[in-house]
Amino acid sequence: MGVALGIELGSTRIKAALINEECLTVASGGFEWENRFEGGVWTYKLEDVWTGLAASFKALCEDYQAKQGGPLPEVSAIGISAMMHGYLPFDKDGEQLCAFRTWRNTSTGQAAGELTGKLGFNIPQRWSVAHLYQAILNGEGHLGKIDFLTTLAGYVHYKLTGRRVLGIGDASGMFPIDSEIGDYDAGKLAIFNKLAGEKGFEQDLAQILPKVLPAGADAGKLTPEGAKLLDPTGLLKPGTPLCPPEGDAGTGMVATNSVAERGGNVSAGTSIFAMIVLERALSKVYPEIDMVTTPTGKPVAMVHCNNGMSDLDAWVGLLREAAALVGGPADKAELFGALLTKALEGEADCGGLVSFNYLSGEHLTGFAQGRPLFARMPDASFNLANFIRTLLYTSVSTLHLGMKILTEGENVKLDTLLGHGGLFKTKGVGQRVMAAAVGVPVAVMESAGEGGAWGCALLAAYLTQKDKYPTLEDFLTRRAFANVDSVCVSPDPADRAGFEAFIARFEAGLKVERAAVEHLS
């Protein structure tokens, strides 16, 4: 298969990963970026997309040269992934019609609520169709010009190949999917078109959405123009095949080999979400639970929280400044690891401390906006270990509330939850905290630090290996993960009891968070 390239545009970092025939990472590169809150919208400028992609690829080439002692070899396949959902409309000339509205925006409550009721299917606020319908309700002027609506991954793929396509996992965050046919749900499309038509939006939604493709499908080839966007130096050759572009949820499932039933994974970074592959349909619609799919189209229950580790990261940055005053460690990663390890010395219930990590709104608990808060009782045990443990617990608290719906309300069975993302980079800490929060064993593979870019590279590699492996599950089990070790941590009874005490404090304190949103502006 040669080498395969995967690139993922995450919330804070664009990362490129190159894998060899054994599916091992041989080079990587990255570019730091951050969303902006402009004009009341969480957004990224599309010119920053191309600056970041080119910088990531350049860094990968330099990393390969340093490690392998030679220039990058010919790439056999490429995969593009990005944060899911959001709103990116374009006209017939490919011009962007409004600012990119990311998954982080919580301004589509009216649309999401109405669509959920009319479609009989939970439509979260961050989904593309919710953004579109809210724009229709708002009577926004650009609507009549829309020729193409896509996600960030779909946009990048389109610019690289000229193909308006999307992997089924990413597409399932735009509009409901019928897993039986592997395409948008035709009945729900008809309902939407009728609703939108009554409000003056005449386009057929199916005509402006990307074509849905499963993992392994032909999704086009790199054009000369696309090659220059990624690599102005000419190392990347036009004609290189690309796999269907996927969302970060799909690449997270692939990167943890969590695409089979009774499997699941949890990604913990800027946002935090768990993906559970279902054995049966849920008994009813839950506004807290998203129904999406694996990259092959299997139904997945998704518990998504807008707010993950950003507040913890901000506190670590503050402590780093304090440490620097007395000659402490300048390396943030070193301090981050030391602080998370220190948290394990804290009391199981955090000693009476509580915090709220809501930098933005949180649909699962009904917040349109957020205000990061930290609070403690006067007699609380306020020390560094309890402080950091509180920030860790808070990072997974909203996820815990969503998972209870599945494990207790729907009796969904999980054998193991596979963890990946920043929370799990400090050995043993993130696993222990997550196991306490969800009540099932949490495993982390050696590849967890590679994350979505590696998962995307695996999807690209699968494109070249379909003749040997009939399914994605087969390719992952027999090829990509055949020799990958993992470490599994079971829930500790004391941690579980401590977390339950903490979550009771957290839930009671949500009234304080609501008051902060109301009174702090």
Side-chain angles (χ1 to χ4, degrees):
M1 82 182 192
V3 294
L5 173 64
I7 304 177
E8 181 158 284
L9 296 94
S11 301
T12 60
R13 192 163 188 250
I14 299 173
K15 184 172 181 181
L18 191 74
I19 63 173
N20 61 15
E21 293 188 358
E22 286 71 46
C23 297
L24 300 175
T25 302
V26 293
S28 62
F31 176 81
E32 304 291 332
W33 72 337
E34 187 55 84
N35 56 187
R36 314 174 189 193
F37 191 67
E38 297 179 344
V41 173
W42 289 102
T43 189
Y44 298 83
K45 293 187 181 299
L46 294 192
E47 52 262 38
D48 293 342
V49 169
W50 300 108
T51 300
L53 286 170
S56 296
F57 183 76
K58 182 174 183 285
L60 178 140
C61 292
E62 292 170 350
D63 187 47
Y64 187 89
Q65 177 75 40
K67 290 176 177 176
Q68 311 300 329
L72 191 76
E74 185 173 344
V75 175
S76 62
I78 300 172
I80 299 296
S81 174
M83 59 192 99
M84 291 176 66
H85 318 296
Y87 186 66
L88 264 174
F90 299 90
D91 66 16
K92 60 182 177 59
D93 298 318
E95 294 298 317
Q96 185 181 3
L97 292 173
C98 67
F100 173 31
R101 300 168 190 177
T102 75
W103 57 270
R104 185 161 232 171
N105 290 283
T106 52
S107 56
T108 62
Q110 181 185 1
E114 186 172 333
L115 288 176
T116 295
K118 296 292 186 180
L119 300 181
F121 190 98
N122 181 35
I123 303 295
Q125 289 197 46
R126 66 187 179 280
W127 277 31
S128 304
V129 69
H131 281 283
L132 172 62
Y133 195 61
Q134 189 66 54
I136 293 170
L137 295 177
N138 295 344
E140 297 189 29
H142 70 270
L143 290 167
K145 301 177 183 178
I146 296 178
D147 186 62
F148 180 41
L149 176 63
T150 190
T151 64
L152 182 55
Y155 161 72
V156 173
H157 184 93
Y158 167 66
K159 295 292 286 186
L160 297 180
T161 66
R163 294 279 302 275
R164 296 182 175 187
V165 300
L166 203 60
I168 191 168
D170 204 4
S172 70
M174 293 194 78
F175 192 85
I177 292 290
D178 181 345
S179 289
E180 295 296 321
I181 63 171
D183 204 346
Y184 302 114
D185 188 302
K188 292 177 174 55
L189 281 172
I191 294 171
F192 179 88
N193 284 335
K194 183 174 184 297
L195 286 172
E198 291 170 352
K199 294 174 173 59
F201 185 75
E202 300 296 337
Q203 286 110 314
D204 179 358
L205 182 59
Q207 297 302 310
I208 64 173
L209 289 175
K211 180 182 178 181
V212 178
L213 295 176
D218 174 17
K221 293 179 170 57
L222 189 65
T223 64
E225 297 79 12
K228 289 180 181 178
L229 284 172
L230 273 184
D231 172 36
T233 69
L235 281 174
L236 276 180
K237 304 301 181 186
T240 304
L242 274 78
C243 67
E246 264 299 347
D248 50 359
T251 54
M253 284 186 269
V254 171
T256 52
N257 195 16
S258 304
V259 294
E261 294 172 354
R262 288 182 69 100
N265 80 92
V266 58
S267 173
T270 302
S271 64
I272 184 167
F273 54 85
M275 313 285 296
I276 312 301
V277 186
L278 298 176
E279 295 180 280
R280 56 174 175 79
L282 300 182
S283 64
K284 61 181 181 179
V285 174
Y286 293 94
E288 303 90 347
I289 306 296
D290 305 357
M291 290 303 302
V292 291
T293 77
T294 68
T296 58
K298 291 181 179 179
V300 172
M302 180 181 188
V303 180
H304 183 281
C305 310
N306 284 351
N307 297 283
M309 296 178 65
S310 292
D311 190 45
L312 170 62
D313 190 67
W315 278 109
V316 172
L318 182 70
L319 294 173
R320 181 187 177 199
E321 285 189 48
L325 290 176
V326 291
D331 184 74
K332 188 175 182 180
E334 178 187 352
L335 180 60
F336 197 91
L339 289 171
L340 263 61
T341 301
K342 181 69 176 178
L344 297 184
E345 299 175 17
E347 297 169 57
D349 69 345
C350 301
L353 311 181
V354 68
S355 72
F356 302 90
N357 63 330
Y358 289 6
L359 271 77
S360 64
E362 191 60 76
H363 75 99
L364 203 146
T365 46
F367 284 84
Q369 299 180 50
R371 301 288 187 272
L373 294 176
F374 191 96
R376 58 190 172 104
M377 295 297 292
D379 61 347
S381 180
F382 189 45
N383 56 51
L384 182 61
N386 281 343
F387 177 70
I388 300 300
R389 193 174 184 120
T390 298
L391 298 175
L392 282 170
Y393 274 14
T394 299
S395 297
V396 301
S397 287
T398 306
L399 179 79
H400 163 86
L401 298 177
M403 287 291 290
K404 279 180 66 174
I405 295 171
L406 297 176
T407 58
E408 296 182 13
E410 288 284 337
N411 199 29
V412 170
K413 301 299 183 185
L414 266 176
D415 296 326
T416 309
L417 201 62
L418 277 294
H420 63 108
L423 178 65
F424 301 102
K425 289 184 178 180
T426 303
K427 187 175 181 180
V429 179
Q431 285 176 272
R432 184 167 158 183
V433 168
M434 187 62 69
V438 299
V440 298
V442 176
V444 171
M445 297 179 176
E446 289 180 348
S447 55
E450 302 294 345
W454 184 65
C456 192
L458 291 179
L459 288 172
Y462 175 58
L463 182 66
T464 69
Q465 297 283 298
K466 289 184 300 178
D467 56 334
K468 298 179 182 177
Y469 304 96
T471 66
L472 177 63
E473 293 84 349
D474 189 51
F475 169 73
L476 294 177
T477 300
R478 291 176 49 210
R479 183 68 172 177
F481 291 90
N483 299 305
V484 174
D485 294 327
S486 64
V487 177
C488 190
V489 172
S490 294
D492 178 88
D495 287 346
R496 284 284 288 159
F499 187 86
E500 288 298 330
F502 176 86
I503 201 68
R505 195 180 311 132
F506 179 88
E507 288 193 87
L510 286 173
K511 293 179 181 178
V512 179
E513 174 70 12
R514 293 192 191 283
V517 170
E518 181 180 354
H519 297 291
L520 296 178
S521 62

